[in-house]
Amino acid sequence: MPPANQQQQKKKQQIKEEPRAVTEKTQDQAAREKPGTRKESVYFGIPGTEPLTRIERTVPADEPPALPPNDQLKYIGNRVPRQDGRFKTTGAAKYPSDTHLPNMLYGKFLSSTVPHARVSSVDTSSAERHPGVKAVHVIENDLLSAQVLDKTKEVQSKYPVIRYSGQPIAAVAATSPQAAQEAVSLIKVQYEELPFVLGADEARRPDAPKVFPAPAAQAETAGGGGGSEKVPQSGNVRGPERKDAGDVAKGFAASDAMVEGEFRTQVQTHSALEPHGVVADWKPDMLTVSASTQSTMSVRDELATIFKLPKSKVRVLTEYMGGGFGAKFGAGNVGVVAVHLSKKAGAPVKLFSDRKEEHWTGGNRPDSQQHVKIGATRDGKLQAIQFTSYGTAGVGTGAGTAGPAHAMYKCDNLKTEEYDVFTNASPGTAFRAPGHPPGCFALEQAMDQLAEKLGMDPLVIRDLNDESPARREERRIGAEKFGWKQKFRRPNSDPGPIKRGVGVAQSVWYRIVNMDSGVEVRINRDGSVEALSAVQDIGGGIKTVIAQVVAEELGIQPRDVQVTIGDTVSPPGPPSGGSMTTTSITPAVRNAAYKAKQQLLAHVKAPLRGADPVSLSLKQLAARLPIEMVSATAQRSPEYGKREGMFLGGVQFVEVRVDTETGIVKVEHVVAVHDCGRPMNMLQLESQVNGGVLQGISYALYENRRLDRNTGIMVNPNLEQYKILGAKETPTIEVHIIEHYLARSSTDAGGIGEPATIPTAAAIANAFYNATGVRVRELPITPARVLAALGNLRQGATA
Amino acid sequence: MSKKQNDGLSRRQFLRGSALTAAGTTILNSGLLAHAESPTSNAVGPGPVPITLRINGKDHDLSVEPRTTLADALRDTLHLTGTKVVCDRGACSACTVWIDGIPVNSCLTFVLDVGQREVTTIEGLGTPDHMHPVQAAFVEYDAAQCGYCTPGMVMSTAALLKSNPNPTLEDVQHAVSGNLCRCGTYPKVFAAALAAARKGA
């Protein structure tokens, strides 16, 4: 490592070189005369690296003044306990799957037992005669699969073509779950089976059975996945989606060291504890749906479109929901079929996937086969990145993994190609940072290899190629907390059968803003305060964050803000996905609270305590209101400043123990340092980072969806053979969140869900190499793979 | 010498024990289960059977098909939905309730097998306004994210602290090792459990 003072100097230069403040000022000057705006001097920088500065932004005139840094605030940024914690811990919280309505019926799906077929008949007559059955519905369209773009080229068939085992065909609604199960088994389906293909490697062969007869595409969701329709397709291979910059051949020619390798990752299922499902209640004046969803708005909009209802006649409720991780956007088959059944039966219908269906068809993270080649000069500067990925999302798309290659490091010569391979398996969906954990697994191992070739510390090569001041600070803090200098030894340093090693990897994710993020803030005459939005809480704790923001603005306590979320009757809210929820909605919350306060002050013509110590409390002011309530609604305003391509991210350090006799890998300690703009609630942020790390370990070591090669049926659709991490596999985790003021909105908050899970598997793989001197290039790192890899070592092969 | 002592564990005991959660297995050796005789010696059903269940200190009369699990009876018939069903086969412990104080998977327990024994559900442990110390610690340490595994986690943790008021971290990890959490809340569950123990929960 270079001497400390040299490093420090570099750090300063780096920050000075940041062009952000300068360019934005120029752009802002151009907008100076824009009506309805004003100049605001907003905080910018990372405390601890340099003194915070302020930069001038053009902001909407009706927005509140710049929010001071967290150390000057009472609630924002603090460890405020979850508002609904006492309901969750006592079982009082009502999830959609807990819904009971009078005369409620129970729905059940009939799923395909074959992976590819034309359905010639569906005989529901016996099911209809079952005494408990009130409605039967035969599915007209599988909403989750990719669709053949030119409809005239689709296989001619009376019923939707079966393209994966587990594809829903029909459903019943009956008076009990048992009756529904019985009735479903009475439905007779006649299949004309077609040739099928399950593995991505086989599906790529020119003579492989075709999953779709013509080019097909899957719609994108709020959490990612899906993709553009304008991508070429040949046989089952769709792509490439390409990015090209500079000239990689030139870059490699200029490189003194190169690394090239292939990496593979498995299919992972979301395994949210509450499965997909809804309770649908069709009534002539209103369709009401309690949905376990990450986006009440997307469920409402999809149902309104499909059932040709005005949006005002569809109400979606999600007060709580038991996890989603990207798989729960839109109404989906489960939502649409439940509404059909409710409409036919004239009664509310509860339709939830069982655990088997949830694993099998509830969505998944596509697998990947990635080819990476990178090169750098002797001084460690990256000269070229070439990256190709093939992956299968079954009958879906969105398996590309080039995200980290595009965004992590500065490299002028870049060429990436991403291919989707269709197979006869259930459709992949967005899954926490789509494409990034596998892409990071490949890229960050290649970077490690490159560092070793150049005789560099893995942190130094990252310092040389990563322009982000946040990541730089995260590496510094993480290395210190982890004790990197002491722990990072030569590979395979432990002589005994138990080998320890350390590794590091980092993530980038996009700062995404959803403009349909609104909230209403009410101040009642008794001084009570309400905040209402359609936004739902996936577990990140947005409800508490909304209360913190309102409380901060109005000078009251968070517990005194009644927050009602998950109801589309309220102003539209953003999806819980893509790390966009907090980024999107908190500025609207603050702006609405500020506007409500202005209205209150205008009515009572007195100042609020805070700015003026002798003034009155909110309660005293509200008591003077001449009307019952003041209310203000705000919608997300555009980001301050114009710079594109803002990123969130983090750096994770892990220590692993490899038992070379059993092949068991145990992660013992993790230090995770992350940024998310202005941190809003440290307690909840820690929880989300813990969760990201633990899902990353689970992905790296345990999880793997397996399909039976003869039927395409998932053979481990449960929670004992589809292994997910449990308490005994949980290492100690140290979480550190840096403050990163970007002057982007009235709260400047960002998200953390995706970046927290991206680098973990890569860091584990790097630590495995450090422990053993052997590279693992395929996930999950099971004992069998470890023993095989170490066996190669014993035979004298090298990484 | 009785047969029980001879065999270590009888077949009947084993079958009964198969509904135990990881937290429950820590208490198995105390022999509490041995006192509970199965009440299902008479053939009943397949239609609904009238029974009385003692839950959270109150008797409930209900009519259930013999195939009904305790979890389904709690959720669908009594609307005590704090108890969650996730895997429905004893792999995740989300449905943990206590029978005579012993944590069991209610999804693996037929409601007719409960007999006269006392069932405690998450609703019986505490309420939002009067939380059990373990529930309060879970809130303080943020040991719930989406919250779907939380009732089961709380039941396992509270059972542990009842039988072992001064647990080590390893004791806590063992007690909740059957409780799966997909949000990854385990570190905070450990912290909450140890804090509740320190406070004498």
Side-chain angles (χ1 to χ4, degrees):
Chain A
M1 276 189 131
N5 59 350
Q6 203 179 322
Q7 280 244 313
Q8 234 156 31
Q9 208 150 18
K10 245 185 211 156
K11 191 165 71 191
K12 274 185 190 163
Q13 277 171 4
Q14 192 81 17
I15 286 165
K16 267 190 204 148
E17 279 162 16
E18 266 294 319
R20 211 172 292 166
V22 185
T23 51
E24 283 187 8
K25 240 182 209 166
T26 329
Q27 283 164 343
D28 282 356
Q29 270 159 5
R32 181 148 287 167
E33 305 308 324
K34 213 169 151 192
T37 65
R38 67 162 202 270
K39 295 288 154 198
E40 185 68 39
S41 168
V42 190
Y43 291 91
F44 186 91
I46 303 171
T49 58
E50 294 264 289
L52 269 191
T53 58
R54 298 178 78 151
I55 59 173
E56 199 172 75
R57 296 290 205 195
T58 304
V59 311
D62 58 354
E63 293 205 1
L67 191 62
N70 279 357
D71 61 1
Q72 295 169 40
L73 298 177
K74 243 178 149 164
Y75 306 115
I76 290 177
N78 270 329
R79 305 176 69 82
V80 178
R82 226 167 263 257
Q83 270 215 331
D84 45 18
R86 63 198 177 111
F87 301 104
K88 286 182 173 175
T89 57
T90 57
K94 291 285 179 203
Y95 293 75
S97 53
D98 297 333
T99 307
H100 281 279
L101 297 174
N103 305 316
M104 188 175 81
L105 303 172
Y106 296 85
K108 182 77 193 158
F109 275 118
L110 174 74
S111 303
S112 169
T113 52
V114 300
H116 198 187
R118 223 187 314 244
V119 172
S120 50
S121 78
V122 181
D123 178 1
T124 59
S125 54
S126 304
E128 280 162 39
R129 283 195 298 271
H130 187 287
V133 168
K134 301 292 178 191
V136 176
H137 181 73
V138 178
I139 290 167
E140 298 136 350
N141 190 8
D142 175 28
L143 288 164
L144 304 175
S145 300
Q147 305 291 322
V148 175
L149 292 169
D150 180 352
K151 298 287 170 226
T152 62
K153 297 206 169 133
E154 175 60 294
V155 175
Q156 293 310 303
S157 169
K158 187 179 170 195
Y159 301 95
V161 178
I162 299 300
R163 293 207 157 91
Y164 57 96
S165 288
Q167 183 174 323
I169 295 171
V172 304
T175 48
S176 72
Q178 292 81 5
Q181 178 75 59
E182 284 166 8
V184 141
S185 68
L186 298 173
I187 300 175
K188 293 180 203 76
V189 180
Q190 276 195 330
Y191 301 104
E192 291 169 31
E193 291 195 46
L194 300 168
F196 64 91
V197 61
L198 296 176
D201 292 349
E202 297 81 58
R204 281 169 64 185
R205 292 185 195 136
D207 59 343
K210 279 200 180 72
V211 176
F212 293 97
Q218 183 191 29
E220 261 180 271
T221 68
S228 161
E229 292 188 358
K230 297 182 199 105
V231 177
Q233 183 179 332
S234 158
N236 293 318
V237 180
R238 192 176 180 276
E241 291 198 54
R242 228 188 267 273
K243 251 192 192 167
D244 230 325
D247 181 344
V248 286
K250 241 173 151 177
F252 287 123
S255 297
D256 299 309
M258 277 183 280
V259 166
E260 189 167 4
E262 198 155 290
F263 298 88
R264 282 175 177 260
T265 62
Q266 77 281 34
V267 172
Q268 181 189 25
T269 72
H270 299 68
S271 299
L273 293 200
E274 183 179 42
H276 286 72
V278 304
V279 176
D281 191 8
W282 179 283
K283 294 236 170 68
D285 60 333
M286 180 72 83
L287 166 63
T288 307
V289 176
S290 292
S292 184
T293 181
Q294 296 176 233
S295 173
T296 55
M297 302 298 295
S298 70
V299 176
R300 184 195 70 168
D301 293 355
E302 197 174 341
L303 291 176
T305 305
I306 289 172
F307 291 93
K308 300 188 172 56
L309 292 168
K311 290 180 180 181
S312 55
K313 297 272 185 197
V314 184
R315 183 180 186 186
V316 177
L317 301 168
T318 308
E319 192 182 359
Y320 295 93
M321 58 91 68
F325 311 109
K328 287 183 181 167
F329 295 104
N333 291 323
V334 76
V336 171
V337 169
V339 173
H340 277 298
L341 289 170
S342 174
K343 194 177 171 186
K344 286 180 181 177
V349 171
K350 183 180 205 168
L351 179 58
F352 276 79
S353 300
D354 62 24
R355 184 51 47 190
K356 185 174 159 186
E357 292 163 340
E358 185 65 18
H359 265 296
W360 197 1
T361 60
N364 58 68
R365 186 189 295 288
D367 69 7
S368 75
Q369 182 199 344
Q370 309 172 68
H371 192 95
V372 189
K373 186 178 176 189
I374 59 176
T377 45
R378 206 164 284 112
D379 60 0
K381 287 273 189 188
L382 277 176
Q383 298 302 313
I385 298 178
Q386 192 169 349
F387 182 98
T388 309
S389 74
Y390 288 87
T392 181
V395 293
T397 60
T401 61
H406 294 155
M408 190 97 76
Y409 299 111
K410 182 176 162 39
C411 181
D412 294 334
N413 306 308
L414 173 82
K415 186 175 181 184
T416 66
E417 293 178 318
E418 299 169 292
Y419 295 87
D420 275 296
V421 183
F422 286 121
T423 57
N424 290 108
S426 64
T429 50
F431 192 160
R432 203 169 188 171
H436 278 246
C440 194
F441 175 71
L443 180 70
E444 286 291 79
Q445 286 207 75
M447 283 298 280
D448 235 46
Q449 289 177 278
L450 193 60
E452 191 181 33
K453 271 198 171 175
L454 292 167
M456 278 182 176
D457 184 297
L459 292 175
V460 173
I461 198 166
R462 287 170 173 84
D463 278 340
L464 288 168
N465 292 290
D466 177 5
E467 293 194 306
S468 157
R471 251 21 53 65
R472 177 176 298 272
E473 177 67 356
E474 285 156 4
R475 282 189 298 272
R476 187 188 68 76
I477 292 171
E480 201 177 293
K481 287 187 177 293
F482 186 78
W484 177 259
K485 263 191 197 157
Q486 300 77 49
K487 286 182 179 166
F488 183 64
R489 301 171 297 166
R490 290 159 55 90
N492 195 15
S493 281
D494 286 330
I498 305 284
K499 296 181 186 293
R500 282 190 165 73
V502 296
V504 63
Q506 56 183 51
S507 60
V508 288
W509 184 250
Y510 320 95
R511 181 181 164 90
I512 306 172
V513 177
N514 183 296
M515 298 300 287
D516 290 324
S517 301
V519 69
E520 179 187 353
V521 172
R522 298 173 176 170
I523 304 170
N524 298 310
R525 190 147 47 184
D526 68 351
S528 62
V529 172
E530 298 167 71
L532 303 96
S533 172
V535 70
Q536 57 294 309
D537 188 355
I538 194 174
I542 195 63
K543 201 171 182 176
T544 309
V545 172
I546 291 172
Q548 289 173 263
V549 174
V550 173
E552 193 80 54
E553 193 57 39
L554 299 183
I556 57 176
Q557 301 230 16
R559 66 162 179 267
D560 293 331
V561 183
Q562 181 69 35
V563 183
T564 303
I565 57 167
D567 186 344
T568 54
V569 165
S570 300
S576 298
S579 297
M580 73 174 84
T581 322
T582 306
T583 324
S584 299
I585 201 170
T586 55
V589 174
R590 180 162 183 245
N591 299 352
Y594 176 74
K595 281 190 207 169
K597 183 172 73 179
Q598 301 304 114
Q599 281 186 35
L600 170 71
L601 297 179
H603 274 294
V604 303
K605 298 180 178 61
L608 177 66
R609 183 183 295 160
D612 175 0
V614 295
S615 60
L616 302 170
S617 74
L618 185 82
K619 194 166 182 164
Q620 290 166 320
L621 285 175
R624 297 186 182 181
L625 268 175
I627 50 173
E628 172 52 35
M629 169 186 99
V630 290
S631 150
T633 299
Q635 197 77 14
R636 182 62 150 90
S637 53
E639 293 269 269
Y640 301 170
K642 298 254 183 337
R643 202 176 103 108
E644 298 300 322
M646 293 292 307
F647 295 102
L648 310 159
V651 181
Q652 294 183 2
F653 297 76
V654 309
E655 184 165 11
V656 301
R657 190 186 68 170
V658 182
D659 184 330
T660 56
E661 287 176 348
T662 62
I664 291 172
V665 178
K666 179 104 207 291
V667 177
E668 296 198 317
H669 184 58
V670 179
V671 172
V673 191
H674 283 266
D675 59 278
C676 53
R678 177 196 298 270
M680 299 302 277
N681 184 326
M682 286 299 186
L683 200 55
Q684 297 184 156
L685 284 166
E686 275 171 13
S687 293
Q688 268 204 78
V689 174
N690 282 340
V693 166
L694 294 176
Q695 265 185 16
I697 297 173
S698 197
Y699 177 58
L701 301 182
Y702 310 121
E703 300 182 35
N704 196 1
R705 184 200 68 176
R706 304 303 293 261
L707 301 179
D708 175 64
R709 72 170 76 92
N710 296 314
T711 60
I713 290 173
M714 183 174 173
V715 296
N716 55 346
N718 53 55
L719 292 170
E720 67 272 12
Q721 289 154 317
Y722 186 92
K723 164 81 179 152
I724 66 173
L725 173 139
K728 289 198 172 176
E729 292 87 39
T730 298
T732 52
I733 305 174
E734 263 181 86
V735 179
H736 186 90
I737 313 283
I738 67 167
E739 290 171 49
H740 190 199
Y741 297 99
L742 297 156
R744 304 290 291 175
S745 73
S746 68
T747 61
D748 213 7
I752 207 151
E754 338 295 297
T757 205
I758 292 169
T760 317
I764 290 169
N766 284 339
F768 181 92
Y769 174 76
N770 185 242
T772 62
V774 176
R775 283 268 158 215
V776 281
R777 299 167 182 281
E778 185 164 5
L779 293 182
I781 309 170
T782 58
R785 283 210 176 107
V786 169
L787 292 178
L790 295 178
N792 289 343
L793 178 75
R794 279 196 283 273
Q795 284 155 25
T798 58
Chain B
M1 199 183 262
S2 79
K3 188 175 183 301
K4 193 184 116 202
Q5 281 164 320
N6 262 338
D7 294 346
L9 188 70
S10 73
R11 183 172 166 273
R12 174 172 248 185
Q13 270 182 302
F14 173 78
L15 287 174
R16 210 180 290 137
S18 65
L20 286 171
T21 66
T25 59
T26 61
I27 308 171
L28 180 65
N29 293 335
S30 68
L32 279 173
L33 268 188
H35 301 300
E37 268 311 312
S38 171
T40 56
S41 43
N42 299 328
V44 291
V49 180
I51 58 161
T52 302
L53 268 189
R54 190 159 179 80
I55 301 167
N56 301 332
K58 264 200 223 149
D59 284 339
H60 297 262
D61 295 325
L62 56 163
S63 175
V64 291
E65 292 182 12
R67 61 180 167 179
T68 310
T69 63
L70 175 58
D72 286 344
L74 290 171
R75 286 179 57 79
D76 295 341
T77 312
L78 296 164
H79 300 177
L80 288 169
T81 53
T83 301
K84 305 298 187 219
V85 173
V86 171
C87 71
D88 209 13
R89 54 197 277 162
C92 75
S93 297
C95 65
T96 301
V97 301
W98 300 349
I99 297 183
D100 283 349
I102 301 170
V104 299
N105 286 313
S106 59
C107 76
L108 290 186
T109 306
F110 284 116
V111 66
L112 290 189
D113 280 343
V114 175
Q116 305 304 307
R117 290 178 285 170
E118 169 85 38
V119 177
T120 307
T121 71
I122 187 71
E123 290 90 349
L125 203 65
T127 63
D129 293 326
H130 296 96
M131 284 187 282
H132 182 278
V134 168
Q135 292 167 324
F138 266 57
V139 176
E140 188 185 344
Y141 285 83
D142 203 40
Q145 291 185 58
C146 86
Y148 213 73
C149 74
T150 311
M153 283 280 188
V154 169
M155 294 306 283
S156 294
T157 305
L160 168 73
L161 298 193
K162 226 166 22 132
S163 65
N164 177 4
N166 294 302
T168 63
L169 174 61
E170 289 67 33
D171 295 335
V172 175
Q173 283 177 324
H174 179 73
V176 300
S177 64
N179 292 82
L180 293 181
C181 167
R182 190 51 160 167
C183 300
T185 309
Y186 304 108
K188 301 230 166 162
V189 169
F190 305 156
L194 295 173
R198 282 196 300 275
K199 286 186 186 166

